[in-house]
Amino acid sequence: MGTERHHSPRLLLRGGLVIDTAPHPVVHPHTDVLVEDGRIAAVGRGLPGDGTDPGLEVIDARDLIVLPGFVDTHRHLWQAVLRSAAVDESLERYLGRVLGDLSARFTPADVYTGNLLGALECLDTGVTTVQDFSHVQYTPEHSAAAVEALEEAGIRAVFGYGYPVFDDTARRADWVRQVRTRHFPSGDGLLTMALAPVGPSFTPPETVREDWLLARELGLPIAVHVTAGPVAMRPIAALQEQGLLTADTLYVHGNSLPDSELRMIAESGGAVAITPAIEASMRFGAPMAGRLRRAGIPTGLGADAVTSAPGDMFSQMRAALMSSHFDGDGEDGEATVKAADVLRMATVEGAEALGLADQIGSLTIGKRADLVLLRADALNLAPVAHDPIGAVVTAAHPGNIDTVLVEGRPVKHHGQLLYGELGSVLSEAHRAVERLGASRS
């Protein structure tokens, strides 16, 4: 195992600049956070405890920003070994090259390497929870490799079982049942499962119904790409007509959907994941953050595909904030989407979108201690006192991360990822690139 799984039963973060996100982002200077058994036990000033208590580990956080771990609500982790392979390509060329040509060449070993590399990248950049939309399930062995890599990384993840886009023979309900039974028998823990079908925008109604009923049978939430067409121009209405519009559905993108479709999502209790960097580079349509905010839909952010865009949440937050300025103003000329809104999307709102808001996303007492600690004294952040929330959203970058905790367990500390076999992972990634023939150099 590359990462040790044990953690101190009790951990005290002393005197940090704490940013909580619920019910709305708020800053608490000079504040302590106590972690016990992987959960947040207390938040406040002057909490009892010092270095003389042998059962308590104390971290001096006086020069650190402490906030909930980031939640990435849509990413194809297996594509980490294809990083920057389609930067200047259109959506059509990406689909043909990555989801058509290269995807079909992936062995289970390649999927394992991609998922492990991608999950470690997430942890290194402060993403403690990721929704892995894994549409590379060519065989049960591919699925097992993907899940095993998530377990090895030690990340919190929702494994989205997805069918390969261009291989109908791999759309096998018995394989989905097998993965559910073998790898997710309890439905809780760090790893949970969702079904990630192709969906009503791209498949006929009878196929959609089979997939949605399978998810219902297995008690799985759904994650699905949506757009206006080419099959259903109104995919949300198409789901409603079949009685398949349910709350436990995460819709991805949706830039081309009219407001009437967004209202239906809001009324159903569904959520939306947006990936602003990819949506801009591949020209999916107008920015979504403001429209979703006005519709009252829980919204999460995602990196989507590192084949074409950056994989860190700081980049996604900036892309969401800056692009929303083109989406019209609110009352009195104020921006519809503000930095605090974007930070919520990256944390507690993303958790809500994944159905995990009772576990993660804020510093609420009793939640899992998934935390990110940033260097407040970094040159690009100091002096942070003016607007710490704005600084995190607009100025911070992965190099500012000092410590990352998952359930109170350090996975990164003093700026170093605590994974003992990183060199071998990188070597395997380079070998995968050579074997797949993905390099253009």
Side-chain angles (χ1 to χ4, degrees), residues 95-157:
L95 291 173
R97 173 171 166 75
V98 176
L99 298 191
D101 181 22
L102 293 173
S103 170
R105 303 183 201 174
F106 267 66
T107 65
D110 297 327
V111 173
Y112 179 88
T113 300
N115 260 39
L116 182 54
L117 179 64
L120 292 175
E121 176 191 6
C122 285
L123 294 173
D124 192 44
T125 59
V127 173
T128 53
T129 298
V130 62
Q131 201 279 331
D132 177 23
F133 197 110
S134 189
H135 47 1
V136 67
Q137 308 312 309
Y138 287 100
T139 68
E141 289 73 29
H142 285 73
S143 303
V147 175
E148 288 167 8
L150 295 175
E151 292 174 339
E152 169 68 12
I155 196 169
R156 190 181 305 280

Short mmCIF file of all heavy atoms in Angstrom, two decimals, residues 95-157:
data_model
loop_
_atom_site.label_atom_id
_atom_site.label_comp_id
_atom_site.label_asym_id
_atom_site.label_seq_id
_atom_site.Cartn_x
_atom_site.Cartn_y
_atom_site.Cartn_z
N LEU A 95 -13.97 13.36 -28.75
CA LEU A 95 -14.77 12.14 -28.70
C LEU A 95 -14.16 11.05 -29.58
O LEU A 95 -14.06 9.89 -29.17
CB LEU A 95 -16.20 12.44 -29.17
CG LEU A 95 -17.05 13.32 -28.23
CD1 LEU A 95 -18.37 13.68 -28.89
CD2 LEU A 95 -17.29 12.62 -26.91
N GLY A 96 -13.73 11.42 -30.77
CA GLY A 96 -13.17 10.43 -31.68
C GLY A 96 -11.83 9.90 -31.22
O GLY A 96 -11.58 8.69 -31.25
N ARG A 97 -10.95 10.80 -30.76
CA ARG A 97 -9.59 10.38 -30.40
C ARG A 97 -9.54 9.72 -29.03
O ARG A 97 -8.97 8.64 -28.87
CB ARG A 97 -8.66 11.60 -30.42
CG ARG A 97 -7.25 11.31 -29.91
CD ARG A 97 -6.33 12.49 -30.17
NE ARG A 97 -5.09 12.41 -29.42
CZ ARG A 97 -4.07 11.60 -29.70
NH1 ARG A 97 -4.17 10.78 -30.74
NH2 ARG A 97 -2.97 11.60 -28.97
N VAL A 98 -10.17 10.36 -28.02
CA VAL A 98 -10.04 9.87 -26.65
C VAL A 98 -11.06 8.79 -26.34
O VAL A 98 -10.70 7.70 -25.86
CB VAL A 98 -10.15 11.03 -25.64
CG1 VAL A 98 -10.12 10.52 -24.21
CG2 VAL A 98 -9.02 12.04 -25.87
N LEU A 99 -12.35 9.06 -26.57
CA LEU A 99 -13.39 8.08 -26.23
C LEU A 99 -13.56 7.01 -27.29
O LEU A 99 -14.15 5.96 -27.02
CB LEU A 99 -14.72 8.79 -26.00
CG LEU A 99 -14.75 9.79 -24.83
CD1 LEU A 99 -16.17 10.22 -24.55
CD2 LEU A 99 -14.11 9.20 -23.59
N GLY A 100 -13.04 7.25 -28.48
CA GLY A 100 -13.12 6.25 -29.53
C GLY A 100 -11.84 5.45 -29.64
O GLY A 100 -11.74 4.31 -29.17
N ASP A 101 -10.81 6.08 -30.19
CA ASP A 101 -9.55 5.38 -30.48
C ASP A 101 -8.81 4.96 -29.22
O ASP A 101 -8.58 3.77 -28.97
CB ASP A 101 -8.68 6.30 -31.34
CG ASP A 101 -7.36 5.66 -31.72
OD1 ASP A 101 -7.28 4.42 -31.71
OD2 ASP A 101 -6.41 6.40 -32.03
N LEU A 102 -8.41 5.91 -28.37
CA LEU A 102 -7.55 5.60 -27.23
C LEU A 102 -8.27 4.79 -26.16
O LEU A 102 -7.70 3.87 -25.57
CB LEU A 102 -6.99 6.90 -26.64
CG LEU A 102 -6.01 7.65 -27.54
CD1 LEU A 102 -5.65 9.01 -26.93
CD2 LEU A 102 -4.76 6.82 -27.79
N SER A 103 -9.51 5.12 -25.88
CA SER A 103 -10.25 4.42 -24.84
C SER A 103 -10.30 2.92 -25.11
O SER A 103 -10.13 2.10 -24.19
CB SER A 103 -11.68 4.97 -24.75
OG SER A 103 -12.49 4.18 -23.93
N ALA A 104 -10.52 2.54 -26.36
CA ALA A 104 -10.66 1.13 -26.71
C ALA A 104 -9.36 0.36 -26.51
O ALA A 104 -9.37 -0.87 -26.44
CB ALA A 104 -11.12 1.00 -28.16
N ARG A 105 -8.23 1.05 -26.40
CA ARG A 105 -6.95 0.38 -26.21
C ARG A 105 -6.61 0.15 -24.73
O ARG A 105 -5.64 -0.54 -24.42
CB ARG A 105 -5.82 1.22 -26.84
CG ARG A 105 -5.99 1.52 -28.32
CD ARG A 105 -4.78 2.30 -28.82
NE ARG A 105 -5.06 3.02 -30.05
CZ ARG A 105 -4.21 3.86 -30.62
NH1 ARG A 105 -3.03 4.07 -30.05
NH2 ARG A 105 -4.54 4.49 -31.73
N PHE A 106 -7.38 0.75 -23.83
CA PHE A 106 -7.06 0.66 -22.41
C PHE A 106 -7.24 -0.75 -21.89
O PHE A 106 -8.32 -1.35 -22.02
CB PHE A 106 -7.94 1.62 -21.61
CG PHE A 106 -7.33 2.97 -21.38
CD1 PHE A 106 -7.10 3.84 -22.44
CD2 PHE A 106 -6.99 3.39 -20.10
CE1 PHE A 106 -6.55 5.09 -22.23
CE2 PHE A 106 -6.43 4.63 -19.88
CZ PHE A 106 -6.19 5.49 -20.95
N THR A 107 -6.19 -1.26 -21.26
CA THR A 107 -6.28 -2.52 -20.53
C THR A 107 -6.70 -2.21 -19.09
O THR A 107 -6.64 -1.06 -18.65
CB THR A 107 -4.92 -3.23 -20.51
OG1 THR A 107 -4.00 -2.43 -19.75
CG2 THR A 107 -4.40 -3.44 -21.93
N PRO A 108 -7.09 -3.22 -18.32
CA PRO A 108 -7.35 -2.97 -16.90
C PRO A 108 -6.16 -2.33 -16.19
O PRO A 108 -6.33 -1.46 -15.33
CB PRO A 108 -7.66 -4.36 -16.36
CG PRO A 108 -8.28 -5.08 -17.53
CD PRO A 108 -7.51 -4.58 -18.71
N ALA A 109 -4.94 -2.73 -16.56
CA ALA A 109 -3.75 -2.15 -15.94
C ALA A 109 -3.64 -0.67 -16.25
O ALA A 109 -3.24 0.14 -15.39
CB ALA A 109 -2.50 -2.88 -16.41
N ASP A 110 -4.00 -0.27 -17.48
CA ASP A 110 -3.98 1.15 -17.83
C ASP A 110 -5.02 1.93 -17.03
O ASP A 110 -4.76 3.06 -16.59
CB ASP A 110 -4.27 1.32 -19.33
CG ASP A 110 -3.22 0.68 -20.21
OD1 ASP A 110 -2.03 0.67 -19.80
OD2 ASP A 110 -3.58 0.20 -21.30
N VAL A 111 -6.19 1.33 -16.84
CA VAL A 111 -7.24 1.98 -16.04
C VAL A 111 -6.77 2.16 -14.60
O VAL A 111 -6.97 3.21 -13.98
CB VAL A 111 -8.55 1.17 -16.09
CG1 VAL A 111 -9.57 1.75 -15.13
CG2 VAL A 111 -9.11 1.16 -17.51
N TYR A 112 -6.14 1.13 -14.06
CA TYR A 112 -5.62 1.22 -12.69
C TYR A 112 -4.62 2.37 -12.57
O TYR A 112 -4.71 3.20 -11.65
CB TYR A 112 -4.95 -0.09 -12.29
CG TYR A 112 -4.38 -0.07 -10.89
CD1 TYR A 112 -5.16 -0.42 -9.79
CD2 TYR A 112 -3.05 0.30 -10.66
CE1 TYR A 112 -4.64 -0.39 -8.51
CE2 TYR A 112 -2.52 0.32 -9.38
CZ TYR A 112 -3.32 -0.02 -8.30
OH TYR A 112 -2.81 0.02 -7.03
N THR A 113 -3.70 2.45 -13.51
CA THR A 113 -2.69 3.50 -13.46
C THR A 113 -3.33 4.87 -13.61
O THR A 113 -2.99 5.81 -12.87
CB THR A 113 -1.65 3.29 -14.58
OG1 THR A 113 -1.01 2.02 -14.39
CG2 THR A 113 -0.60 4.38 -14.55
N GLY A 114 -4.25 5.01 -14.56
CA GLY A 114 -4.92 6.29 -14.75
C GLY A 114 -5.71 6.72 -13.53
O GLY A 114 -5.64 7.88 -13.10
N ASN A 115 -6.46 5.79 -12.95
CA ASN A 115 -7.26 6.14 -11.79
C ASN A 115 -6.39 6.49 -10.58
O ASN A 115 -6.69 7.41 -9.83
CB ASN A 115 -8.21 4.99 -11.43
CG ASN A 115 -9.62 5.24 -11.94
OD1 ASN A 115 -9.78 5.76 -13.04
ND2 ASN A 115 -10.62 4.89 -11.16
N LEU A 116 -5.31 5.72 -10.39
CA LEU A 116 -4.44 6.00 -9.25
C LEU A 116 -3.73 7.34 -9.43
O LEU A 116 -3.69 8.16 -8.51
CB LEU A 116 -3.41 4.88 -9.08
CG LEU A 116 -2.45 5.00 -7.90
CD1 LEU A 116 -3.20 5.20 -6.59
CD2 LEU A 116 -1.54 3.78 -7.82
N LEU A 117 -3.19 7.58 -10.62
CA LEU A 117 -2.54 8.86 -10.89
C LEU A 117 -3.53 10.01 -10.73
O LEU A 117 -3.22 11.04 -10.10
CB LEU A 117 -1.96 8.85 -12.30
CG LEU A 117 -1.26 10.13 -12.76
CD1 LEU A 117 -0.03 10.42 -11.91
CD2 LEU A 117 -0.89 10.04 -14.24
N GLY A 118 -4.73 9.85 -11.26
CA GLY A 118 -5.73 10.91 -11.17
C GLY A 118 -6.19 11.17 -9.76
O GLY A 118 -6.38 12.32 -9.35
N ALA A 119 -6.36 10.10 -8.97
CA ALA A 119 -6.79 10.26 -7.59
C ALA A 119 -5.71 10.92 -6.75
O ALA A 119 -6.00 11.77 -5.89
CB ALA A 119 -7.18 8.91 -7.00
N LEU A 120 -4.46 10.55 -6.98
CA LEU A 120 -3.36 11.18 -6.25
C LEU A 120 -3.23 12.64 -6.63
O LEU A 120 -2.92 13.50 -5.78
CB LEU A 120 -2.06 10.43 -6.52
CG LEU A 120 -1.97 9.02 -5.94
CD1 LEU A 120 -0.68 8.34 -6.38
CD2 LEU A 120 -2.06 9.04 -4.40
N GLU A 121 -3.46 12.95 -7.89
CA GLU A 121 -3.46 14.36 -8.32
C GLU A 121 -4.53 15.14 -7.57
O GLU A 121 -4.30 16.27 -7.11
CB GLU A 121 -3.70 14.47 -9.82
CG GLU A 121 -3.81 15.91 -10.30
CD GLU A 121 -4.31 16.02 -11.73
OE1 GLU A 121 -4.68 15.00 -12.33
OE2 GLU A 121 -4.33 17.16 -12.24
N CYS A 122 -5.70 14.54 -7.44
CA CYS A 122 -6.78 15.19 -6.69
C CYS A 122 -6.33 15.51 -5.27
O CYS A 122 -6.45 16.66 -4.80
CB CYS A 122 -8.02 14.29 -6.64
SG CYS A 122 -8.96 14.19 -8.17
N LEU A 123 -5.82 14.51 -4.57
CA LEU A 123 -5.40 14.72 -3.19
C LEU A 123 -4.29 15.76 -3.10
O LEU A 123 -4.29 16.60 -2.19
CB LEU A 123 -4.93 13.39 -2.59
CG LEU A 123 -6.01 12.32 -2.42
CD1 LEU A 123 -5.37 11.01 -1.97
CD2 LEU A 123 -7.08 12.76 -1.43
N ASP A 124 -3.37 15.73 -4.01
CA ASP A 124 -2.26 16.67 -4.01
C ASP A 124 -2.72 18.10 -4.17
O ASP A 124 -2.08 19.04 -3.68
CB ASP A 124 -1.28 16.30 -5.12
CG ASP A 124 0.04 17.03 -5.01
OD1 ASP A 124 0.59 17.13 -3.90
OD2 ASP A 124 0.55 17.51 -6.06
N THR A 125 -3.86 18.29 -4.86
CA THR A 125 -4.37 19.64 -5.12
C THR A 125 -5.57 20.00 -4.23
O THR A 125 -6.27 20.97 -4.52
CB THR A 125 -4.76 19.79 -6.60
OG1 THR A 125 -5.77 18.82 -6.94
CG2 THR A 125 -3.56 19.58 -7.50
N GLY A 126 -5.80 19.21 -3.18
CA GLY A 126 -6.82 19.56 -2.21
C GLY A 126 -8.20 19.02 -2.47
O GLY A 126 -9.13 19.32 -1.72
N VAL A 127 -8.37 18.22 -3.51
CA VAL A 127 -9.65 17.56 -3.79
C VAL A 127 -9.70 16.30 -2.95
O VAL A 127 -9.00 15.33 -3.23
CB VAL A 127 -9.82 17.25 -5.28
CG1 VAL A 127 -11.08 16.42 -5.51
CG2 VAL A 127 -9.87 18.53 -6.10
N THR A 128 -10.54 16.30 -1.92
CA THR A 128 -10.63 15.13 -1.04
C THR A 128 -11.75 14.19 -1.43
O THR A 128 -11.78 13.04 -0.98
CB THR A 128 -10.83 15.59 0.42
OG1 THR A 128 -11.95 16.48 0.49
CG2 THR A 128 -9.59 16.32 0.93
N THR A 129 -12.69 14.67 -2.26
CA THR A 129 -13.79 13.84 -2.76
C THR A 129 -13.92 14.06 -4.26
O THR A 129 -13.91 15.20 -4.73
CB THR A 129 -15.11 14.19 -2.08
OG1 THR A 129 -15.03 13.93 -0.68
CG2 THR A 129 -16.27 13.36 -2.66
N VAL A 130 -14.08 12.96 -5.01
CA VAL A 130 -14.23 13.08 -6.45
C VAL A 130 -15.33 12.15 -6.93
O VAL A 130 -15.48 11.03 -6.43
CB VAL A 130 -12.90 12.76 -7.18
CG1 VAL A 130 -12.47 11.33 -6.92
CG2 VAL A 130 -13.00 13.04 -8.67
N GLN A 131 -16.11 12.63 -7.89
CA GLN A 131 -17.06 11.77 -8.59
C GLN A 131 -16.36 11.30 -9.86
O GLN A 131 -16.12 12.08 -10.77
CB GLN A 131 -18.35 12.53 -8.94
CG GLN A 131 -19.55 11.64 -9.20
CD GLN A 131 -19.59 11.06 -10.61
OE1 GLN A 131 -19.10 11.65 -11.55
NE2 GLN A 131 -20.16 9.88 -10.76
N ASP A 132 -16.00 10.02 -9.87
CA ASP A 132 -15.24 9.44 -10.97
C ASP A 132 -16.21 8.89 -12.00
O ASP A 132 -16.72 7.78 -11.85
CB ASP A 132 -14.32 8.34 -10.43
CG ASP A 132 -13.55 7.63 -11.53
OD1 ASP A 132 -13.40 8.23 -12.62
OD2 ASP A 132 -13.11 6.49 -11.31
N PHE A 133 -16.46 9.66 -13.05
CA PHE A 133 -17.35 9.24 -14.14
C PHE A 133 -16.52 8.35 -15.06
O PHE A 133 -15.84 8.81 -15.96
CB PHE A 133 -17.88 10.47 -14.88
CG PHE A 133 -19.08 10.21 -15.75
CD1 PHE A 133 -20.33 10.71 -15.41
CD2 PHE A 133 -18.97 9.47 -16.91
CE1 PHE A 133 -21.43 10.50 -16.20
CE2 PHE A 133 -20.07 9.25 -17.73
CZ PHE A 133 -21.29 9.77 -17.37
N SER A 134 -16.60 7.04 -14.83
CA SER A 134 -15.66 6.09 -15.42
C SER A 134 -16.30 5.34 -16.58
O SER A 134 -16.72 4.19 -16.46
CB SER A 134 -15.17 5.10 -14.35
OG SER A 134 -14.12 4.30 -14.83
N HIS A 135 -16.34 5.99 -17.74
CA HIS A 135 -16.98 5.36 -18.90
C HIS A 135 -15.96 4.59 -19.74
O HIS A 135 -15.83 4.77 -20.95
CB HIS A 135 -17.73 6.38 -19.75
CG HIS A 135 -16.98 7.66 -20.06
ND1 HIS A 135 -15.71 7.91 -19.64
CD2 HIS A 135 -17.37 8.75 -20.76
CE1 HIS A 135 -15.34 9.10 -20.07
NE2 HIS A 135 -16.32 9.62 -20.75
N VAL A 136 -15.26 3.67 -19.04
CA VAL A 136 -14.27 2.83 -19.70
C VAL A 136 -14.42 1.38 -19.22
O VAL A 136 -13.47 0.62 -19.14
CB VAL A 136 -12.85 3.38 -19.44
CG1 VAL A 136 -12.47 3.25 -17.96
CG2 VAL A 136 -11.80 2.76 -20.35
N GLN A 137 -15.67 0.99 -18.92
CA GLN A 137 -15.94 -0.34 -18.36
C GLN A 137 -16.14 -1.36 -19.47
O GLN A 137 -17.24 -1.84 -19.73
CB GLN A 137 -17.17 -0.28 -17.44
CG GLN A 137 -17.12 0.82 -16.38
CD GLN A 137 -15.81 0.86 -15.63
OE1 GLN A 137 -15.34 -0.17 -15.12
NE2 GLN A 137 -15.18 2.03 -15.59
N TYR A 138 -15.03 -1.72 -20.12
CA TYR A 138 -15.09 -2.68 -21.22
C TYR A 138 -15.26 -4.11 -20.72
O TYR A 138 -15.78 -4.97 -21.45
CB TYR A 138 -13.83 -2.57 -22.09
CG TYR A 138 -13.81 -1.33 -22.93
CD1 TYR A 138 -13.08 -0.20 -22.55
CD2 TYR A 138 -14.52 -1.26 -24.13
CE1 TYR A 138 -13.06 0.95 -23.32
CE2 TYR A 138 -14.50 -0.12 -24.91
CZ TYR A 138 -13.77 0.98 -24.51
OH TYR A 138 -13.76 2.12 -25.28
N THR A 139 -14.78 -4.39 -19.51
CA THR A 139 -14.90 -5.72 -18.91
C THR A 139 -15.02 -5.55 -17.40
O THR A 139 -14.68 -4.49 -16.85
CB THR A 139 -13.66 -6.60 -19.19
OG1 THR A 139 -12.53 -6.04 -18.49
CG2 THR A 139 -13.36 -6.68 -20.69
N PRO A 140 -15.45 -6.59 -16.68
CA PRO A 140 -15.44 -6.51 -15.21
C PRO A 140 -14.04 -6.27 -14.65
O PRO A 140 -13.90 -5.68 -13.58
CB PRO A 140 -15.98 -7.89 -14.79
CG PRO A 140 -16.84 -8.32 -15.93
CD PRO A 140 -16.13 -7.81 -17.16
N GLU A 141 -13.02 -6.69 -15.37
CA GLU A 141 -11.64 -6.47 -14.91
C GLU A 141 -11.28 -4.99 -14.97
O GLU A 141 -10.54 -4.50 -14.11
CB GLU A 141 -10.67 -7.29 -15.76
CG GLU A 141 -10.73 -8.79 -15.52
CD GLU A 141 -11.97 -9.44 -16.12
OE1 GLU A 141 -12.50 -8.91 -17.14
OE2 GLU A 141 -12.44 -10.46 -15.56
N HIS A 142 -11.80 -4.28 -15.96
CA HIS A 142 -11.59 -2.83 -16.00
C HIS A 142 -12.21 -2.17 -14.77
O HIS A 142 -11.61 -1.29 -14.15
CB HIS A 142 -12.21 -2.23 -17.26
CG HIS A 142 -11.45 -2.50 -18.52
ND1 HIS A 142 -11.42 -3.73 -19.13
CD2 HIS A 142 -10.68 -1.68 -19.30
CE1 HIS A 142 -10.68 -3.67 -20.24
NE2 HIS A 142 -10.22 -2.43 -20.35
N SER A 143 -13.40 -2.61 -14.41
CA SER A 143 -14.09 -2.04 -13.25
C SER A 143 -13.33 -2.32 -11.97
O SER A 143 -13.15 -1.43 -11.12
CB SER A 143 -15.51 -2.60 -13.15
OG SER A 143 -16.24 -2.35 -14.32
N ALA A 144 -12.89 -3.56 -11.80
CA ALA A 144 -12.15 -3.92 -10.60
C ALA A 144 -10.88 -3.09 -10.47
O ALA A 144 -10.52 -2.63 -9.38
CB ALA A 144 -11.81 -5.41 -10.62
N ALA A 145 -10.19 -2.88 -11.59
CA ALA A 145 -8.96 -2.09 -11.57
C ALA A 145 -9.23 -0.65 -11.15
O ALA A 145 -8.47 -0.06 -10.36
CB ALA A 145 -8.29 -2.13 -12.94
N ALA A 146 -10.31 -0.07 -11.67
CA ALA A 146 -10.64 1.31 -11.33
C ALA A 146 -10.93 1.46 -9.84
O ALA A 146 -10.43 2.39 -9.18
CB ALA A 146 -11.84 1.77 -12.16
N VAL A 147 -11.72 0.55 -9.29
CA VAL A 147 -12.09 0.63 -7.88
C VAL A 147 -10.87 0.37 -6.99
O VAL A 147 -10.67 1.06 -5.98
CB VAL A 147 -13.22 -0.37 -7.56
CG1 VAL A 147 -13.52 -0.38 -6.07
CG2 VAL A 147 -14.48 -0.02 -8.36
N GLU A 148 -10.05 -0.59 -7.36
CA GLU A 148 -8.86 -0.90 -6.55
C GLU A 148 -7.91 0.29 -6.49
O GLU A 148 -7.28 0.55 -5.46
CB GLU A 148 -8.15 -2.13 -7.13
CG GLU A 148 -8.91 -3.42 -6.88
CD GLU A 148 -8.38 -4.58 -7.72
OE1 GLU A 148 -7.32 -4.38 -8.38
OE2 GLU A 148 -9.02 -5.64 -7.74
N ALA A 149 -7.81 1.03 -7.59
CA ALA A 149 -6.94 2.22 -7.60
C ALA A 149 -7.48 3.30 -6.66
O ALA A 149 -6.71 3.96 -5.97
CB ALA A 149 -6.82 2.76 -9.02
N LEU A 150 -8.78 3.47 -6.63
CA LEU A 150 -9.38 4.45 -5.71
C LEU A 150 -9.10 4.05 -4.27
O LEU A 150 -8.78 4.91 -3.43
CB LEU A 150 -10.89 4.55 -5.96
CG LEU A 150 -11.33 5.09 -7.32
CD1 LEU A 150 -12.85 5.00 -7.45
CD2 LEU A 150 -10.85 6.51 -7.53
N GLU A 151 -9.23 2.77 -3.98
CA GLU A 151 -8.95 2.29 -2.62
C GLU A 151 -7.49 2.53 -2.26
O GLU A 151 -7.17 2.94 -1.15
CB GLU A 151 -9.28 0.80 -2.52
CG GLU A 151 -10.77 0.49 -2.63
CD GLU A 151 -11.06 -1.00 -2.68
OE1 GLU A 151 -10.10 -1.77 -3.03
OE2 GLU A 151 -12.18 -1.42 -2.38
N GLU A 152 -6.60 2.25 -3.19
CA GLU A 152 -5.17 2.42 -2.95
C GLU A 152 -4.82 3.88 -2.66
O GLU A 152 -4.00 4.18 -1.78
CB GLU A 152 -4.38 1.91 -4.15
CG GLU A 152 -2.90 2.26 -4.15
CD GLU A 152 -2.10 1.57 -3.06
OE1 GLU A 152 -2.63 0.64 -2.43
OE2 GLU A 152 -0.95 1.97 -2.85
N ALA A 153 -5.44 4.79 -3.39
CA ALA A 153 -5.13 6.21 -3.22
C ALA A 153 -5.61 6.73 -1.87
O ALA A 153 -5.01 7.66 -1.31
CB ALA A 153 -5.76 7.03 -4.35
N GLY A 154 -6.69 6.18 -1.34
CA GLY A 154 -7.23 6.65 -0.07
C GLY A 154 -8.08 7.88 -0.19
O GLY A 154 -8.27 8.63 0.78
N ILE A 155 -8.65 8.13 -1.36
CA ILE A 155 -9.51 9.28 -1.58
C ILE A 155 -10.96 8.91 -1.31
O ILE A 155 -11.33 7.73 -1.35
CB ILE A 155 -9.34 9.78 -3.04
CG1 ILE A 155 -9.91 11.20 -3.20
CG2 ILE A 155 -9.98 8.80 -4.03
CD1 ILE A 155 -9.52 11.83 -4.53
N ARG A 156 -11.78 9.89 -1.01
CA ARG A 156 -13.23 9.67 -0.94
C ARG A 156 -13.76 9.81 -2.37
O ARG A 156 -13.47 10.81 -3.04
CB ARG A 156 -13.90 10.69 -0.02
CG ARG A 156 -15.37 10.35 0.29
CD ARG A 156 -16.01 11.41 1.18
NE ARG A 156 -15.24 11.62 2.40
CZ ARG A 156 -15.29 10.83 3.47
NH1 ARG A 156 -16.08 9.77 3.46
NH2 ARG A 156 -14.57 11.10 4.55
N ALA A 157 -14.51 8.84 -2.83
CA ALA A 157 -14.93 8.87 -4.22
C ALA A 157 -16.30 8.24 -4.41
O ALA A 157 -16.68 7.32 -3.69
CB ALA A 157 -13.91 8.15 -5.10
#
